[in-house]
Amino acid sequence: MSAAVKYSAIALGVIAIAGVGALPWYSSRAMDQRLAEMAQQSSPHEDVMLRNLQHQAGYLTSKGSVDVVLRDRCQTGGQGGGESADTTFHVTYEAQHFPTPSAANRFDWRLQPTGDTAPVFKKLFGSDTALSGQGQVNWSGLVSSDLKLPAMAYATPGGRLEADPSQGRIAMGGKALQFDWLLERAVLRGASHAMELKQLGVNLNLSNRQKGIGEVALRMGAFSTPEATAEGYVLKSVTSERGDKLDSVVSQTLTRAQFGDQELKDMVLEASFKGLHAQSVETLTTVMGASCGLETLTRDESAKVRQAVQTLLASGMSGGITKLSGKGKQGAIDGKFTLELAAVGAGQAISFARQLSAAGELNVQGELLPPMPRQMAINSGFAREVAKGLQSSAVFEKGLFKVNGKTIDATGVQNVLAAMDVAVMAYINDERPQRVAREEATAPFAMPDADEVAQAPPVEAPAADAPLSPAMPMPSPAQAIAPAAAPQR
């Protein structure tokens, strides 16, 4: 080997060693800077704050502590007039900066509540530093950690709560948030009651935690009381973004439930909200969260809310119960009900009476419905007998209301919708609702009786440009606010 090659190899080796030796220093410095930025950016206007950061940076290891404050900004004080709604946790940590192929650094942490929370925490878990974990920061900046809690026991004069050790995981990076938690078993017993939960889990997988884009789920493997048992319960919400619209589906499923001599299986209740104007939803969520409700809005905030409501209603949307089903010993049930608010055209005013349509159907198989309610549904005309049980359907569209294919008078529905139009436009224009709108909205609305449904004469659909109700005129052009740029489908 020539001298030049030998010296080059030595030089490369020295550079490589220097580079590896510099990685812990870089990791330590990056962590120091990131923690300082987080502490400086922590704002009293947020629900989570960092205080009293004490960080000791080192070459191979760093350690420190910080107070994490959880705030309820809508709580102005307790009954005593000055109680703080803040809950503070003191977190201590130690980080190792020697890198691995998957992580820039690793860390251990332990949480200790302070104030009034500390004795409750210690009574529950037997230690005031029970919540701890180990985590890492990967090379892309994703921060993840496992979470662990010991067994829990809490006794009161009225009962006792016991729970197995539980564990989970949390990961954050950019706008994304993932959180999983699992509790294998918990039991609550009292003098005359008992309740057992098994495999209780929470799962979050959000790609944008600010908008709530992603999936949130609550799962329960089994539930038992002296009177009832249930298995396989799942409550799930899935929200997705489609262009400038948000779609959300919320579902509840239950594999089996038994109480007394009754047993239900494969129960599903699913509701959906589709086509919501994303920016308007975000504005409403942000303003309502910051102001703690409609009662404490500033004039500027009120204007933002009214504009968001106007755009939301003008953009159109749909929602309702998209699936309702279940089985029992006597039969089964299946149905759905949807509402749609059509988008308004350019220059048109918002009008529930013109935009709204609805449709629904319900099928009851077997003898799931007892004889008396069954006969009442048939006699009233709201249900009809079919081969396997009962069937009912209803449609409201273009001012016509049909029940099981028969058209009935929809004047009452039209009057209510027209009154809603006046009230909504008055709110958007920041005016007091007209007295006539209040009177119509509060007037009793009687459902048609059996004879009206069974013997209803045909009702012609109103002309497109005709007023929907002579008793309730539509808002005048001066009252109506047409969106400057109403989103089109």
Side-chain angles (χ1 to χ4, degrees), residues 348-433:
Q348 287 186 321
I350 294 169
S351 170
F352 288 104
R354 183 180 63 250
Q355 293 173 251
L356 191 68
S357 61
E361 61 181 53
L362 183 65
N363 299 293
V364 181
Q365 299 179 8
E367 303 297 327
L368 193 63
L369 198 64
M372 185 174 292
R374 177 189 179 93
Q375 194 59 46
M376 289 177 60
I378 295 173
N379 293 341
S380 67
F382 286 106
R384 61 177 182 269
E385 286 189 291
V386 293
K388 296 183 179 180
L390 297 180
Q391 186 179 71
S392 178
S393 64
V395 177
F396 177 76
E397 187 175 14
K398 296 180 180 180
L400 291 180
F401 186 27
K402 294 183 178 181
V403 176
N404 295 324
K406 293 184 178 180
T407 303
I408 65 174
D409 187 2
T411 302
V413 177
Q414 295 167 355
N415 286 346
V416 170
L417 293 178
M420 289 174 59
D421 292 340
V422 175
V424 167
M425 295 312 303
Y427 171 74
I428 290 175
N429 287 324
D430 198 19
E431 299 171 353
R432 287 189 175 185

Side-chain angles (χ1 to χ4, degrees), residues 32 105 162 164 196 265 310 343 432:
D32 188 15
N105 59 55
E162 297 179 346
D164 290 352
E196 180 185 39
K265 295 181 178 180
Q310 174 187 343
R432 287 189 175 185

Side-chain angles (χ1 to χ4, degrees), residues 42-72:
S42 185
S43 168
H45 302 294
E46 302 293 335
D47 293 324
V48 180
M49 292 179 58
L50 299 182
R51 290 177 177 169
N52 305 324
L53 174 64
Q54 303 293 328
H55 182 68
Q56 301 174 23
Y59 174 60
L60 291 178
T61 63
S62 297
K63 62 182 180 180
S65 65
V66 65
D67 291 336
V68 181
V69 184
L70 306 182
R71 307 180 62 236
D72 183 356

Side-chain angles (χ1 to χ4, degrees), residues 8 25 83 85 143-144 161 171 190 202 220 316 356 418:
S8 297
W25 173 84
E83 296 182 15
V143 181
S144 62
L161 171 66
V202 178
M220 182 176 62
L356 191 68

Side-chain angles (χ1 to χ4, degrees), residues 49-56 63-70 86-94 108-118 121 127-133:
M49 292 179 58
L50 299 182
R51 290 177 177 169
N52 305 324
L53 174 64
Q54 303 293 328
H55 182 68
Q56 301 174 23
K63 62 182 180 180
S65 65
V66 65
D67 291 336
V68 181
V69 184
L70 306 182
D86 296 353
T87 301
T88 303
F89 298 94
H90 185 70
V91 179
T92 57
Y93 60 87
E94 182 172 349
D108 302 308
W109 59 271
R110 189 173 293 275
L111 179 146
Q112 181 179 17
T114 63
D116 296 338
T117 309
F121 203 85
S127 170
D128 58 0
T129 57
L131 182 58
S132 62

Side-chain angles (χ1 to χ4, degrees), residues 157-160 189-194:
R160 182 176 179 83
R189 300 185 189 277
S192 58
H193 62 272

Side-chain angles (χ1 to χ4, degrees), residues 227-421:
E227 295 83 17
T229 60
E231 296 176 0
Y233 174 77
V234 178
L235 170 62
K236 183 166 66 173
S237 172
V238 180
T239 301
S240 58
E241 196 167 18
R242 177 171 46 87
D244 64 345
K245 299 296 182 72
L246 290 178
D247 295 340
S248 184
V249 178
V250 180
S251 63
Q252 296 186 74
T253 58
L254 185 63
T255 303
R256 187 183 72 88
Q258 188 165 5
F259 46 96
D261 60 349
Q262 299 294 323
E263 183 179 25
L264 299 175
K265 295 181 178 180
D266 303 328
M267 299 178 65
V268 178
L269 175 60
E270 179 183 277
S272 71
F273 306 90
K274 296 185 177 181
L276 300 173
H277 188 253
Q279 185 59 54
S280 298
V281 172
E282 187 173 2
T283 298
L284 290 173
T285 303
T286 302
V287 174
M288 298 295 286
S291 63
C292 304
L294 285 171
E295 300 300 323
T296 56
L297 292 175
T298 66
R299 186 166 185 81
D300 181 61
E301 289 171 335
S302 180
K304 290 180 179 179
V305 169
R306 293 197 307 274
Q307 181 60 52
V309 170
Q310 174 187 343
T311 306
L312 194 67
L313 296 178
S315 301
M317 67 187 80
S318 64
I321 299 174
T322 49
K323 186 172 181 58
L324 170 65
S325 63
K327 301 175 183 177
K329 293 181 178 180
Q330 289 79 25
I333 187 171
D334 180 73
K336 62 182 179 180
F337 175 78
T338 57
L339 283 168
E340 182 174 356
L341 190 69
V344 301
Q348 287 186 321
I350 294 169
S351 170
F352 288 104
R354 183 180 63 250
Q355 293 173 251
L356 191 68
S357 61
E361 61 181 53
L362 183 65
N363 299 293
V364 181
Q365 299 179 8
E367 303 297 327
L368 193 63
L369 198 64
M372 185 174 292
R374 177 189 179 93
Q375 194 59 46
M376 289 177 60
I378 295 173
N379 293 341
S380 67
F382 286 106
R384 61 177 182 269
E385 286 189 291
V386 293
K388 296 183 179 180
L390 297 180
Q391 186 179 71
S392 178
S393 64
V395 177
F396 177 76
E397 187 175 14
K398 296 180 180 180
L400 291 180
F401 186 27
K402 294 183 178 181
V403 176
N404 295 324
K406 293 184 178 180
T407 303
I408 65 174
D409 187 2
T411 302
V413 177
Q414 295 167 355
N415 286 346
V416 170
L417 293 178
M420 289 174 59
D421 292 340

